[in-house]
Amino acid sequence: MKKKIAAVLCSLFLFVACGSSEKEQEKVSEKNHVTIRISQDPDFLDPHKDVASATGEILYNVFEGLVKINSKGELKPALAEDYTISDDGLTYEFIVRKGVKFQNGKELTPESVKSSYERFMDKDFPGNPVGAEIAKLIESITISENKIIFKLKQLDGSALGSFTIGVVNDEDGKIYGTGPYIIKEYLPGEHVLLVKNQNYWNKDSVGNIDEAEFKIIKDTQNAVMAFQMGEVDIIHRMETGYVDMIGENGKIIKGEQNLVQLLALNNDVKPLNDIRVRKAINYAVNKEEVIEGSSLGEAVVSGSAISPAVKNVYNKESENIYQFDLNKAKELLTEAGYPNGFEIVLKAPSNYQFHVDTAQILKEQLAKAGINVKIQEVEWGTWLSEVYAGKNYEMTIIGFDGKVTPFRTVERYGSKNHRNLVNFKSEEFDKVISKIVNAKDEETRTELYKESQRLLTEGAAAVFIQAPNYIAAVNKNLEGFEIYPVYVLDVSLLNYKK
Amino acid sequence: MFLIKKIISSVLTLFLVSVISFTVLNVIPGDPVLSKLGVDATQEQVVALRKELGLDKSGYAAYGNWLEKSLHGDMGKSIRFSVPVNDLIKKRIDKTFKLSFLAMGITIGVGFPLGIISAVYNKGKGGKILSFFTMFGVSVPSFWSGLILMMGITIGVGFPLGIISAVYNKGKGGKILSFFTMFGVSVPSFWSGLILMMIFGLYFKISLNSTNLILPAVTLSISMISVTAIYLKNIILEEFHKDYVRAAVAKGRNRNEVIITDILRNIMLPMLTIISELFIKILAGSIVVESLFNISGLGTLMVMAVENRDYPVVQALVLYSAVIVIGINLLTDILYSWIDPRVKIS
């Protein structure tokens, strides 16, 4: 009996030991393979259609625009060697780079750039917001020698950012980019596999990663365990709670994040249609305490819709508009006719533990002001259709991430914008954001951005709570990982230590 | 005549199944386009995509459209994954079938002998112990037994050296006891060791992804084994009271011999019923087990499709499952008359 047990256990142990050594051998094969965790499937592997931020992160490695954003947030020439903008801001001239090949072997020419733009400018094309914006703006596209010239209908200070949209070559319904990596395979629910583009025009800038696997692991806890087992090399946008579980194989990289978590208040429903009530809620929320509780301190207070990470346009003063003050909150509630508070339902998207945790803390904080919050956890698909699209809610919590241009963040609150989740309506605000579009110089534009943020916060459109830090766990043998101010994971910067 | 009737009713069932699942999908909240595009799309894009996918049509028109295409074998394109539904299913079907056949094999291989043994030793202590375990197996849901199984194996992996040395240290008398005490020792440290175990568990979970389906198959078959064993035991016991058995025993034949030569032959039909039901149950159970072990089969596809309100994928999976169930039932009916010519399929 004794021997039998021992034999069984030994063989079990050996079996496992063999299994793991085989695995390691696979990993140490000649190819430099990096596995990056993503939490969901990409929406479209097409730079003219993708909207999910998490998809853009992958596509950055495959498709390039005339200009390209770098980790400092600056726009640098990419497929354009150089560009000039006319003094009236209406003509953009790009010199198309020579010697660039699409991933199907075709040469990049001004004509191919033009047809790429015409692809998404087609009226029936289900294009993404970046494409839609530039399509609306373009009056005509002309080609002269090696140049492509865009004439715009009207001045738009943030137009250059839209030229980051990927240039593609459409061949038999399949599209090809020019980037440092090629999409080799997409298995729904499993992974997106990228391989190095051997014919990349700027090969010297690319590190030694041959294969990048974006592996879909929904649950962060599972991802962290896979990281511990060495099966995942990078987990980014990780929740703070998992930092301690990373272990010796990894290092933690932290930075500011262009994302704001907000308590959305439906400005159209009673009692939130009264600005005094919304202000009272703003006074009753202690943001520092929320940060301690839901982000374990890894976040900064945000006073407005634009993240403090976007330093040049963030309105720092907006943080002072509401200082945590329970008495003031109660006063305002009494003024509005709710001396004993009221009951309200907060619909929290159940797949985001971060938002659910925040909801719990807010419930306690608001209770002190007499507001009785009932939390209703809603499944994500339902949240999107009922809360986001249907606006059938009183309160909800969500995080909005910033894009290349901060305009995309503020325009959400325009009274006619269908993405105006909180139903904020202010003529003054609408005027300011329409001025942003036509602003001639950077300085005026920045001032207008700050003004728009002030109006949003003063109008108590929502409670802008925090900008959680960007946290990534990275395999300690990997070097070169950089945080971008927008959703980008640049594989070309990565290198395995030699 | 029987076949024609059966086919007509099958077609009718399939039609009803598709109508019901289509209605249910349309009634529950959620929108496939929104689920795909999230919070950043423009209204124009939502509208354009809806148009492209034919989702702007009314319920009837959409169903008619789907029905027409599916009759030609075209199940449409997945909304969430932008690939033809049939390709999606083709890539995953082998894993689900492998898992199901493996689970089926285990269930029959263990459940049938277990049922027979517990019928034979029904009155002794052995029978009671067996029936305790089978009852236990029936009552435990597979998602739980799967977790326990994962952990159980990880205990075997995590502490093997300790346990082995402990076994060798103890005297002869307490061989088994020492094993259990060792087990007991590790239990108080269970919570502190939980993370460790989970890590090993996950190691298994991930490694099992592509290659090894044994653990999930065992999980899937645990409750099925018990059901099979109990059912088989009961029908065998029932046969004991029948005249032909009593006559055989009265003639002085050995009881066990009677079971093998006479009873088993007589219970072929109910056994066939069990097998066909088992297969259907195992296919259904694979949804839970696949999600638990992170196997990329049809079960996980179903879960993802429902989460994303991916109508075409859900529709196709429901329809194919219905076809399989109906097919198995039809096959069982035909086999009935083949095994026992006294049964006429009419």
Side-chain angles (χ1 to χ4, degrees), chain B residues 69-106:
Chain B
K69 274 192 181 164
S70 61
L71 285 176
H72 292 98
D74 175 12
M75 302 309 283
K77 219 170 146 186
S78 158
I79 298 173
R80 183 65 182 84
F81 307 117
S82 315
V83 289
V85 174
N86 284 337
D87 289 359
L88 211 56
I89 291 175
K90 252 182 244 157
K91 280 225 173 87
R92 290 166 165 262
I93 198 162
D94 62 317
K95 269 184 195 156
T96 300
F97 273 123
K98 264 186 210 156
L99 174 65
S100 303
F101 279 115
L102 204 58
M104 192 74 190
I106 296 171

Side-chain angles (χ1 to χ4, degrees), chain A residues 41 43 188 218 231 388 418, chain B residues 36 39 80 92 206 307:
Chain A
D41 278 85
D43 51 356
K218 226 173 118 182
E231 297 186 359
Y388 184 74
H418 88 284
Chain B
K36 186 181 175 85
V39 296
R80 183 65 182 84
R92 290 166 165 262
I206 289 172
E307 274 177 355

